Amino acid sequence: MNEQPARTLIYKRTETGDEIGLGYLDAQGRLWRAGGNVEVGRVTGDGRVLRKTAYDERELGVFTAEGEVHSHGLFEGGALGWVDADGVVNQGGLIFGEEEVGRVAGPQQPAAAAALLLLFLPDDAEESRRFR
């Protein structure tokens, strides 16, 4: 991925500890998948993450300015994770044990962390299941 100052880059951590770039958040709040530059959603100024669908958008969850992420859908919703000050994204809550799942780099860390947890990681897991 080509780093530009207005972008916040989104990486997932693999089981081997490597990082893979999944996408980025642009200065206008649009979420883009890496590679094909496909717009997959957006974040709003009031802390919501929206997935782009064929005909509309669907709200996946919310995030705080402090970097806490809450899901609307996963097992009735709830705390999903957070981002540390250094950009490390952690997944954890009632359902999941605490685990480092990725990293974000750029000016919009809380929003990008929410996108990683709510949109990019679930999509990546679904794609992996299809190829098994």
Side-chain angles (χ1 to χ4, degrees):
M1 284 186 294
N2 199 6
E3 285 198 49
Q4 296 180 0
R7 292 182 177 180
T8 302
L9 304 177
I10 301 170
Y11 301 93
K12 88 169 186 176
R13 182 167 306 217
T14 67
E15 292 175 6
T16 60
D18 296 327
E19 291 182 343
I20 297 173
L22 296 180
Y24 64 91
L25 173 62
D26 70 19
Q28 290 75 39
R30 295 176 301 188
L31 294 161
W32 300 86
R33 185 169 312 286
N37 271 345
V38 175
E39 186 177 354
V40 293
R42 67 185 177 96
V43 298
T44 65
D46 62 350
R48 298 180 303 140
V49 177
L50 302 148
R51 171 191 297 280
K52 190 174 186 177
T53 66
Y55 302 104
D56 202 6
E57 295 177 317
R58 183 168 55 103
E59 187 171 335
L60 302 176
V62 296
F63 62 93
T64 66
E66 294 77 31
E68 296 172 3
V69 180
H70 297 269
S71 170
H72 290 331
L74 189 62
F75 304 108
E76 310 247 342
L80 188 58
W82 67 95
V83 62
D84 293 332
D86 61 358
V88 172
V89 180
N90 300 280
Q91 188 173 52
L94 292 175
I95 305 301
F96 301 106
E98 189 177 313
E99 176 185 10
E100 284 185 18
V101 294
R103 180 177 66 85
V104 294
Q108 300 181 71
Q109 288 186 352
L116 175 64
L117 291 169
L118 293 166
L119 194 150
F120 286 104
L121 286 179
D123 282 1
D124 191 61
E126 180 62 32
E127 191 173 315
S128 292
R129 280 191 289 275
R130 273 191 243 145
F131 287 116
R132 282 187 201 164

